[in-house]
Amino acid sequence: DVQLVESGGASVQPGGSLRLSCVVSGFTFRNFWIHWVRQAPGKGLVWVSQIDRDGSYTSYADFVKGRFTISRDNAKNTVYLEMRSLTVQDTGVYYCVRPDSSGLSFWGQGTLVTVSP
Amino acid sequence: SYELTQPPSVSVSPGQTARITCSGDALATRYTYWFQQKPGQAPVLVIYKDTERSSGIPERFSGSSAGTTVSLTISGVQAEDEADYYCQSGDSNGFYVFGGGTKLTVL
């Protein structure tokens, strides 16, 4: 079975940093792009970032550009989201998502990031 | 920035038909995807490429497209269908955009 397990969520102060991890199993990791999507409490889904199969291409939503960095280690079946200069608006559940030919088909259960003074 | 517009809420009685719309300027030329999200759970892909039902999704779920408005229709709504529904498409850069979400209430 395809599995994506996020970790690294925590409570931090504004201006702080966090690194999220997403460990995957059940498929050949190096063959797939991976995305991060977040959801603020009680709010909707928002796409954050994506990375291609070998990590040579990455892209970001405007509101995280320059603050977040996505990367991957294909030997460890892991994707990372390095987040810095965090603001209260970055609070939410962060989902790791694997697409296939049908779209964003496989989602992890998410990890909660809370940014508060 | 590109936006997808959904009604905040839709209410139907069990057994009735629910229709959730999603509007966006470029939807006539880009595929739309629909996700169902129940409280405390990750989203589930329900419809892909406008009209295709994902594996394991009941036949009562269907998608349609008419110009810049796409729709998710649930025929014979059941209590278990109560959830938030999100449409998703792409912007001019190929990035992913989600609608604001529609809360479906089964009365």
Side-chain angles (χ1 to χ4, degrees):
Chain A
D1 282 4
V2 172
Q3 288 197 355
L4 302 98
V5 180
E6 304 93 337
S7 63
S11 183
V12 298
Q13 292 189 334
S17 299
L18 273 180
R19 187 176 82 159
L20 307 183
S21 300
C22 171
V23 178
V24 312
S25 60
F27 63 96
T28 304
F29 178 58
R30 64 179 180 273
N31 289 346
F32 291 89
W33 293 50
I34 298 292
H35 299 252
W36 286 96
V37 174
R38 77 182 187 189
Q39 186 169 34
K43 301 297 185 182
L45 302 170
V46 179
W47 178 82
V48 174
S49 181
Q50 65 183 342
I51 188 167
D52 72 351
R53 296 175 185 86
D54 64 3
S56 59
Y57 171 80
T58 60
S59 60
Y60 303 89
D62 285 345
F63 56 83
V64 303
K65 202 173 295 183
R67 300 189 300 124
F68 289 13
T69 302
I70 190 171
S71 61
R72 67 190 294 161
D73 185 337
N74 284 351
K76 295 183 177 180
N77 281 9
T78 303
V79 174
Y80 304 98
L81 187 67
E82 195 81 39
M83 306 185 296
R84 59 183 179 83
S85 301
L86 287 164
T87 72
V88 172
Q89 288 71 36
D90 294 317
T91 293
V93 175
Y94 285 71
Y95 295 101
C96 174
V97 189
R98 196 213 89 175
D100 63 10
S101 58
S102 301
L104 298 175
S105 295
F106 298 95
W107 296 62
Q109 283 305 304
T111 187
L112 177 63
V113 173
T114 303
V115 185
S116 65
Chain B
S1 61
Y2 186 53
E3 293 185 357
L4 299 176
T5 302
Q6 298 180 233
S9 62
V10 169
S11 299
V12 294
S13 299
Q16 305 248 312
T17 296
R19 182 166 169 264
I20 300 171
T21 58
C22 174
S23 299
D25 290 345
L27 290 186
T29 57
R30 296 176 192 157
Y31 284 129
T32 303
Y33 303 75
W34 289 96
F35 297 85
Q36 176 194 68
Q37 187 181 33
K38 296 182 178 179
Q41 297 183 19
V44 172
L45 180 63
V46 174
I47 298 290
Y48 65 97
K49 294 182 180 178
D50 293 346
T51 60
E52 301 298 316
R53 200 167 40 249
S54 288
S55 175
I57 301 301
E59 290 185 7
R60 61 180 182 275
F61 287 84
S62 64
S64 61
S65 177
T68 57
T69 298
V70 296
S71 299
L72 172 68
T73 301
I74 310 172
S75 304
V77 167
Q78 300 182 7
E80 67 197 50
D81 300 331
E82 185 163 287
D84 294 326
Y85 291 86
Y86 296 90
C87 62
Q88 176 256 310
S89 188
D91 66 12
S92 57
N93 295 313
F95 298 164
Y96 292 65
V97 178
F98 290 91
T102 298
K103 181 176 180 59
L104 176 66
T105 300
V106 181
L107 300 170

